Structures are given as C-alpha cells and as structure tokens.
Amino acid sequence: MAGPNSRTGHDVLIKISADGGTTHTHRCMINMARGLSASQTFTETAIPDCDTPTKPHAIKRTVQSHTLSMTGAGIYDAASAKFFADWALEGGVAKPAIAEVGQETGDLIYTGNIVLNQFDINAGSDKDELTADMSFTFDGEYTITERT
C-alpha cells in the first residue's frame, strides 16, 4: 500500500508584503507553527416533505460566504515584532500575502490580501524565550494555484 505524499511543517511558509505587493517576505517570528483554515457560512432553509408534512423538514444549505484564515507562532524576533506591532496599530489594513503549502510541483499557493486579526507576545518564566502568536484572515478574494 502506498503512503500519502506528505509534507512537514517547515514546508508551510507565510510571506507578507510590506511594500504593497512587490516583494513578499517570510517573517522570522512565524517560525515554529503555521496553519491554514478554510471555513464557510451558510444560509439554511427548511424544506418540508409535501407528501408527508409530519416528517421533519430537510435542511437546504446555501453557501453565503467563505474565508481562509491563517495562524502563525514562534520565537520572538525583534525585527519582525516591529512589523507586526505597526500593522496592529494600522487598524485592519490589508497587506498582500502568499501562503505556500509545500515546495514541490503540484503543491498549493494561496495569494491575496490579509488582515492581522491578533498579535500576542507571550512571556513564560524568567528563563523562557519570548514567543509570539498571530492570526490573519484573507480579505476579499484570494486565489489558489498549484506550484509548477
């Protein structure tokens, strides 16, 4: 039996542009964990059974919207922290971004504008390294292409 054509965590890169989309840079602070999550919201309509009205209604779901969000976490990096702190103060400004899931032919690349939802700097004990967590959501349309 053949196994899956799997990837490891370092194969996921989130690159964000600071210059309006000319260059996209991997921010060092997103260096430990990364994730993508696709979700949809639906409108629901109850559809009665006309032949047997006493039966429970079937539910018809219609996609109302879809979104793609990303998370990143890692060891605190002062240069990256300034970028994210400034962005957080900008109040929802979307920045061009690329999320690469895998680095081989056929792997997926998500491209669009993202907003910074959350930016946290975390301190453990006195001896622990500072860490950072952040989350992003694609703003508007985004594209999904296969790496060639």
Side-chain angles (χ1 to χ4, degrees):
M1 177 174 109
N5 188 5
S6 64
R7 303 289 182 267
T8 60
H10 74 270
D11 288 324
V12 177
L13 289 176
I14 299 172
K15 298 178 179 179
I16 304 166
S17 176
D19 64 6
T22 304
T23 58
H24 292 78
T25 305
H26 170 67
R27 301 290 166 177
C28 186
M29 200 158 11
I30 310 174
N31 56 18
M32 300 289 284
R34 293 147 315 271
L36 279 81
S37 175
S39 61
Q40 300 180 49
T41 58
F42 299 89
T43 56
E44 295 184 350
T45 306
I47 308 295
D49 184 326
C50 293
D51 295 330
T52 313
T54 56
K55 278 187 172 180
H57 297 271
I59 300 294
K60 178 182 178 186
R61 290 178 177 83
T62 305
V63 175
Q64 184 178 18
S65 65
H66 60 89
T67 190
L68 182 68
S69 53
M70 300 182 293
T71 57
I75 300 298
Y76 178 87
D77 171 64
S80 295
K82 175 72 170 132
F83 172 81
F84 289 113
D86 287 347
W87 190 7
L89 289 174
E90 291 174 354
V93 171
K95 295 193 181 291
I98 298 170
E100 300 175 348
V101 181
Q103 304 300 310
E104 296 182 25
T105 300
D107 286 339
L108 300 179
I109 300 171
Y110 299 81
T111 306
N113 293 319
I114 62 173
V115 293
L116 176 64
N117 298 339
Q118 184 175 345
F119 173 54
D120 299 324
I121 297 173
N122 309 299
S125 71
D126 290 346
K127 303 286 186 204
D128 291 340
E129 295 288 331
L130 290 178
T131 61
D133 298 291
M134 57 218 72
S135 64
F136 317 92
T137 303
F138 275 88
D139 182 38
E141 293 291 320
Y142 58 89
T143 60
I144 305 170
T145 55
E146 290 185 16
R147 183 179 296 281
T148 56

